[in-house]
Amino acid sequence: MKIGIVGLGLIGGSLALDLRPKGYRILGVSRKEETCRAALHRGIVDDASTNLSLLATADAIFICSPISLIVPIVKELIPHVSADTILTDVGSVKTPIVQEINEIWPNFVGGHPMAGTAESGLDAAISNLFAGRPYVLTPVETTPPEAVKTVEEIARSLGSQIYFCTPEDHDRAVAWISHLPVMVSAGLIASCIGETDGKVVKLAQNLASSGFKDTSRVGGGNPELGVMMARYNRGALLRSLQQYRRTLDKLIADIEREDWDSLEQQLKETQQARPDFLP
Ligand code: NAP
């Protein structure tokens, strides 16, 4: 089977690294010549080009570009492929992508491997990135079952755990566990630097340790990614942020009223709930 990968970065490169040794023939397309050359040189792909026409004979194509380019790339790709070519993507938001692509290419299965690192680009690609991690597929009523089966088999061969859900449920779930944490963590850092006494800020910076490191990590990451999350998952993220604001208001009210029992009750509930969200 020939697998096409568009976007030889962290996710696309890591997919290629894992799939090629399993006997799939990997055709890679990336924006930069040098990335294509490096992918060939490292033996990550069988063939590489900056031209989407390389993928004319691929059986299944994974679009692994930045999220804003997924739909434009599919539009550009369509003239080069035949109707039985299966397209899938790895974008971290599903509803807008699935809606737009379904209208132009029904043989499409939305996907999202829930794995990554803080790095990007082909140099960041690593083997076994997806093993033991969830891989979400979001077929809709009109998605051909054969296409779903093929993408599921490929994703399973990575050692991933497959989850099926609607694009909307996917986006609501990732709003809670991925996109809200970025905004909360960014809000934490913004609040700290909002302290008006410079010497207190300096002292806080010197005293900050593992707790601050954990809670500020995702808020101190790539701003472009945060904006993408907000742009493409706006509705679900806003709902999560509004719920978060209500939770904060309740915490503030408990502390203002010195209602330590209520506060303790809340903290007991969160202590109990946390393990359910961790592997
Ligand atoms: P990345 O490391 O930046 O990789 C994307 C690659 O796409 C770039 O390295 C670039 O390669 C290539 N590219 C850019 N424009 C292109 C174009 N017009 N045509 C072909 N290739 C193009 O980003 P990533 O982290 O792998 O993310 C890719 C996708 O995976 C995103 O949609 C993201 O939502 C999703 N995702 C990310 C993570 C994560 O944690 N990072 C997890 C799950 C899913 P060159 O410029 O070098 O050619």
Side-chain angles (χ1 to χ4, degrees):
M1 181 186 231
K2 280 191 209 169
I3 295 182
I5 295 179
V6 184
L8 295 171
L10 167 68
I11 300 294
S14 300
L15 275 175
L17 269 173
D18 281 353
L19 293 175
R20 191 164 180 243
K22 296 187 195 317
Y24 295 109
R25 190 170 157 76
I26 307 296
L27 307 173
V29 170
S30 217
R31 176 183 48 180
K32 292 191 200 140
E33 281 282 1
E34 65 193 79
T35 304
C36 296
R37 272 199 303 274
L40 273 168
H41 182 70
R42 283 177 60 189
I44 293 176
V45 295
D46 291 280
D47 204 352
S49 170
T50 56
N51 196 320
L52 288 168
S53 64
L54 178 76
L55 307 181
T57 59
D59 302 291
I61 301 173
F62 285 70
I63 316 292
C64 305
S65 65
I67 212 160
S68 59
L69 296 177
I70 293 175
V71 174
I73 284 175
V74 167
K75 287 181 179 163
E76 230 186 290
L77 183 61
I78 284 174
H80 298 286
V81 296
S82 63
D84 53 0
T85 310
I86 297 164
L87 301 188
T88 184
D89 77 312
V90 298
S92 319
V93 174
K94 296 274 56 89
T95 310
I97 290 174
V98 172
Q99 269 170 3
E100 273 208 67
I101 298 183
N102 268 340
E103 280 173 22
I104 52 176
W105 199 259
N107 210 12
F108 170 76
V109 187
H112 181 199
M114 304 288 301
T117 69
E119 312 296 317
S120 63
L122 183 66
D123 284 345
I126 48 171
S127 303
N128 274 324
L129 180 65
F130 310 101
R133 309 290 307 160
Y135 197 124
V136 190
L137 296 178
T138 62
V140 294
E141 254 174 41
T142 51
T143 312
E146 272 311 304
V148 181
K149 202 169 142 235
T150 302
V151 178
E152 181 185 352
E153 270 169 19
I154 298 169
R156 240 181 241 292
S157 80
L158 300 165
S160 299
Q161 290 167 289
I162 313 298
Y163 291 86
F164 288 99
C165 64
T166 62
E168 294 77 14
D169 283 352
H170 166 277
D171 291 353
R172 288 173 64 184
V174 297
W176 286 119
I177 52 91
S178 178
H179 303 170
L180 176 64
V182 168
M183 300 304 153
V184 169
S185 177
L188 166 70
I189 303 169
S191 304
C192 290
I193 57 177
E195 162 65 56
T196 49
D197 187 336
K199 82 177 172 315
V200 172
V201 174
K202 192 76 211 141
L203 183 61
Q205 286 166 341
N206 290 332
L207 300 182
S209 183
S210 54
F212 192 80
K213 194 175 172 192
D214 290 345
T215 50
S216 65
R217 183 175 65 81
V218 292
N222 182 350
E224 230 176 273
L225 286 183
V227 175
M228 285 295 158
M229 291 168 177
R231 255 182 97 166
Y232 288 89
N233 202 17
R234 183 174 168 272
L237 175 59
L238 280 174
R239 268 198 303 278
S240 299
L241 276 167
Q242 275 146 6
Q243 176 59 42
Y244 181 66
R245 181 157 60 189
R246 286 192 286 276
T247 308
L248 269 186
D249 283 342
K250 173 154 185 331
L251 289 170
I252 291 170
D254 283 348
I255 296 167
E256 276 177 349
R257 284 199 313 268
E258 301 190 26
D259 188 344
W260 310 129
D261 290 341
S262 172
L263 181 63
E264 188 180 3
Q265 183 56 32
Q266 171 78 83
L267 295 178
K268 275 184 178 160
E269 283 170 24
T270 54
Q271 184 186 40
Q272 221 168 27
R274 183 171 181 262
D276 294 338
F277 288 87
L278 301 175

